[in-house]
Amino acid sequence: MLSPGLQYEEDRLCALARHGILDTPAESEYEDIVRLAASLCDVPLALISLVDRERQWFKAQVGLPDVSETARCLSFCTYAIEQTAELFVVEDALQDARFAANPLVLEAPHIRFYAGASIHSEEGYPLGTLCVIDTVPRALSDRQRRDLLALKRQVELLLRLRLRVRQAEARNRQLLESSGDAVFLLDEAGRVLELNPVASRLIGREAREVLGTRLEALALDGERGRVREALGELLAQGSVRALDVGLRSARGERLSLDLTGALQEGTDARRLLVVAQDLTEKRMLERASLQNDRLASLGVLAAGIAHEINNPIAYLLTNMGLLREWMDELEQRLLRLPGPTAHARQFLGEARQVLSESIVGCRRIRDIVRDMRFFSHASDESLESVDVNASLDFALRMAEAQCRGTARLEKACDAALPPVLASESRLTQVFLNLIVNALQAMGSSSPQHNVLRVSSRQEADVVRVDVSDTGHGIPPEVLPRIFDPFFTTKPAGTGTGLGLSISHALVRKMGGELRVSSEPGRGTTFSLLLPRGAAEPSAALAS
């Protein structure tokens, strides 16, 4: 255990080290102070001397060219920092027993007069002195004493500002390294000086790609003005908070962020610290909640619509089936009569065509109603252990004819895939819908240019199936609505907008997740994740 005196010295040295000033380059603020001290006290030498363990080091000096430090054992400043008086003054060193044999007195720079004002840390530890030196004996006037003490207080202010800047830099570094939010450090012009790994991952770009870029350039086109205004307010007021600002991800998608900024004053420049809290997931959860509300409302609506429409459609289909039988019988009788006119034949053909189109239309209405009823009725299909690859193969066989004329099939399925807990018929329905959608997204161009990729693999406790196409992709502004009921990007008459929303609901009811990722012009991937495991006896699809 150190003695109180030794412990105090260790604490004093730690306080000096915290300022991070030893062996730093010359700075004009300190140089100006020593020049002014020499002038006011009318001496040839002035120093800002910091007393280290074995040396005194000069942060600034006048009159000692090419000298940056001396041994502490020879130092007048060591005596100065051990005094309680505001000023330590030696009017004639040759007459002072402590210094008469000192090499700095007997040899260059031949010190005869010394006056030093202790420079203290904010906690009160003496770090060094602002001192004035002459080669002849002399004294200080009262005015010179006051001036020297005033100047040493300016040195203390500079050191405290430096310490605060170091502390701010340390906090910035800690924030950059440990924050769960995205952190950007900017210069006054809003250019990125540093960013943490969270920010890099968020915007999908390496730090080296972003450094030197204005923060507003990372925003979406329509929101750059908001970022400029926020940074302007930060410079003017010292802090800012901007809610729901849209930065652009590497894929061009909108990242919803709350920005909080703080202005930091440095010794040479100001810095803007901006913390960005990612609200994208929160917005997705809000949309998911809204989606659930819509589905619940749709269920109530669908129940009523299905009841009102289903019976009349059944009547129509039955009656039109009878009409078609009567048409066939009438046509056969007319054709047996002598000399049926060409006009009669044309009329019968047109009537048959109209009737066929009406039956197709009614069947389409029936199918839409059937799909709508899915949202309002619980299914009694039990969940069981299902072979995913077998279900996927069956769906591919059903779509084989359409695939043959549209795209090449690339299949990579894990043969050792564990079973999942699902409804086999519903799972096949989902696979078929995803495959047909992928084929339709690639249009009617040559199979040599289109690729349908289907893969399955195990990831941790889930089984993952990816269905990818090389089609036109889905625009970023459309992607959040892709699972909305009745939303479709297909031409009128070619889709009801229920396929993906039903598939999404089916997968969720089987305890899984359906994801989508897309790049316009490059294609789309739907990823189905289902929990593995054996079926529970009571498990069933439930609304």
Side-chain angles (χ1 to χ4, degrees):
M1 183 175 180
L2 296 174
S3 66
L6 290 176
Q7 184 61 59
Y8 180 84
E9 174 64 6
E10 290 300 316
D11 293 341
R12 188 193 72 79
L13 291 171
C14 287
L16 177 60
R18 277 198 301 273
H19 288 77
I21 194 170
L22 291 173
D23 300 308
T24 57
E27 297 177 54
S28 60
E29 294 87 352
Y30 297 94
E31 299 287 340
D32 290 343
I33 289 175
V34 293
R35 281 194 294 268
L36 186 56
S39 175
L40 292 173
C41 295
D42 194 22
V43 296
L45 294 90
L47 309 169
I48 293 175
S49 172
L50 300 170
V51 181
D52 200 1
R53 189 182 299 274
E54 303 292 341
R55 60 172 180 159
Q56 63 171 354
W57 178 80
F58 307 144
K59 174 60 183 174
Q61 54 92 1
V62 169
L64 290 176
D66 304 321
V67 178
S68 61
E69 63 180 59
T70 63
R72 179 174 175 177
C73 61
L74 305 177
S75 168
F76 281 63
C77 294
T78 297
Y79 288 87
I81 66 173
E82 292 174 352
Q83 306 300 310
T84 58
E86 288 188 306
L87 279 177
F88 175 70
V89 179
V90 178
E91 294 184 346
D92 187 348
L94 283 176
Q95 302 302 318
D96 192 313
R98 294 170 296 182
F99 305 107
N102 191 312
L104 299 178
V105 175
L106 299 177
E107 302 170 11
H110 300 287
I111 298 175
R112 294 291 297 277
F113 167 78
Y114 173 92
S118 292
I119 298 167
H120 290 84
S121 71
E122 202 161 9
E123 308 95 331
Y125 291 109
L127 306 178
T129 67
L130 170 62
C131 61
V132 289
I133 299 170
D134 205 342
T135 56
V136 296
R138 59 167 300 151
L140 290 180
S141 68
D142 290 342
R143 180 187 60 79
Q144 289 172 328
R145 287 172 175 267
R146 289 195 300 271
D147 290 343
L148 191 59
L149 289 171
L151 289 175
K152 81 98 178 183
R153 287 192 290 270
Q154 294 304 307
V155 177
E156 289 174 341
L157 286 175
L158 287 173
L159 288 176
R160 288 169 190 175
L161 177 59
R162 183 186 193 91
L163 183 60
R164 285 178 173 78
V165 171
R166 285 178 58 79
Q167 291 170 340
E169 289 173 349
R171 287 194 298 271
N172 290 348
R173 179 58 50 198
Q174 183 180 15
L175 187 60
L176 284 165
E177 293 175 353
S178 63
S179 176
D181 293 323
V183 182
F184 299 88
L185 186 64
L186 315 176
D187 63 13
E188 286 190 71
R191 290 183 292 260
V192 178
L193 299 175
E194 293 186 67
L195 69 162
N196 67 345
V198 178
S200 181
R201 288 195 300 271
L202 183 66
I203 61 178
R205 297 171 66 181
E206 296 290 336
R208 63 177 181 273
E209 302 175 58
V210 180
L211 297 182
T213 302
R214 291 182 184 272
L215 184 64
E216 66 183 72
L218 303 178
L220 294 173
D221 291 344
E223 302 190 60
R224 291 180 180 176
R226 286 195 64 200
V227 176
R228 281 196 301 273
E229 291 174 4
L231 296 183
E233 183 179 342
L234 177 53
L235 283 168
Q237 301 182 9
S239 65
V240 72
R241 182 165 174 78
L243 304 180
D244 197 13
V245 175
L247 293 192
R248 183 182 62 249
S249 73
R251 295 171 52 188
E253 299 170 349
R254 185 182 192 274
L255 301 170
S256 179
L257 305 171
D258 278 358
L259 302 184
T260 303
L263 178 63
Q264 300 186 336
E265 299 281 355
T267 54
D268 56 344
R270 296 190 295 177
R271 297 288 182 259
L272 311 180
L273 184 69
V274 177
V275 179
Q277 182 183 11
D278 184 12
L279 302 178
T280 307
E281 183 176 354
K282 180 182 178 182
R283 296 290 182 261
M284 291 176 64
L285 291 174
E286 289 174 352
R287 286 197 294 269
S289 176
L290 180 60
Q291 167 86 347
N292 290 336
D293 292 342
R294 288 175 178 171
L295 291 178
S297 300
L298 181 61
V300 176
L301 177 64
I305 292 176
H307 178 75
E308 294 298 327
I309 294 178
N310 206 45
N311 288 339
I313 288 296
Y315 300 153
L316 285 172
L317 283 172
T318 299
N319 291 340
M320 282 190 283
L322 289 174
L323 284 174
R324 183 162 60 184
E325 292 176 6
W326 294 344
M327 281 284 299
D328 292 342
E329 183 179 349
L330 177 61
E331 184 176 7
Q332 291 173 6
R333 290 186 179 183
L334 287 174
L335 292 176
R336 287 197 294 268
L337 295 175
T341 64
H343 178 71
R345 291 178 182 272
Q346 180 181 354
F347 174 78
L348 289 172
E350 291 176 354
R352 188 185 302 109
Q353 180 66 28
V354 169
L355 189 55
S356 295
E357 291 175 355
S358 299
I359 292 174
V360 169
C362 285
R363 286 175 177 168
R364 181 168 175 76
I365 295 172
R366 180 196 62 191
D367 292 342
I368 292 173
V369 171
R370 180 196 60 204
D371 287 343
M372 287 177 62
R373 292 178 64 190
F374 167 79
F375 291 105
S376 60
H377 291 284
S379 172
D380 58 359
E381 295 179 73
S382 299
L383 298 182
E384 56 189 356
S385 292
V386 175
D387 184 334
V388 171
N389 287 339
S391 178
L392 192 56
D393 286 341
F394 181 70
L396 286 169
R397 286 195 299 273
M398 292 181 67
E400 184 178 1
Q402 184 175 351
C403 184
R404 192 183 305 118
T406 304
R408 302 190 319 277
L409 174 63
E410 292 183 0
K411 184 180 171 188
C413 294
D414 183 359
L417 210 61
V420 299
L421 189 61
S423 163
E424 186 170 17
S425 62
R426 290 302 196 183
L427 185 58
T428 303
Q429 176 187 348
V430 171
F431 286 151
L432 182 59
N433 185 56
L434 296 180
I435 291 167
V436 170
N437 276 0
L439 294 171
Q440 290 176 345
M442 291 184 282
S444 57
S445 58
S446 169
Q448 283 76 20
H449 299 97
N450 298 329
V451 179
L452 172 67
R453 295 186 179 90
V454 178
S455 64
S456 65
R457 64 182 182 276
Q458 182 178 352
E459 291 185 353
D461 294 329
V462 300
V463 169
R464 176 172 181 151
V465 176
D466 289 333
V467 178
S468 304
D469 63 66
T470 55
H472 47 69
I474 303 171
E477 64 272 13
V478 170
L479 209 58
R481 301 185 59 196
I482 201 70
F483 295 123
D484 287 359
F486 297 109
F487 179 80
T488 180
T489 58
K490 298 175 183 176
T494 60
T496 64
L498 286 173
L500 283 177
S501 58
I502 290 175
S503 297
H504 184 260
L506 282 172
V507 171
R508 290 186 62 186
K509 289 181 179 181
M510 288 186 277
E513 183 180 357
L514 185 59
R515 301 174 181 172
V516 59
S517 61
S518 186
E519 186 174 350
R522 300 291 296 272
T524 301
T525 297
F526 283 91
S527 300
L528 173 60
L529 289 81
L530 285 171
R532 50 175 297 195
E536 297 292 337
S538 61
L541 284 179
S543 294

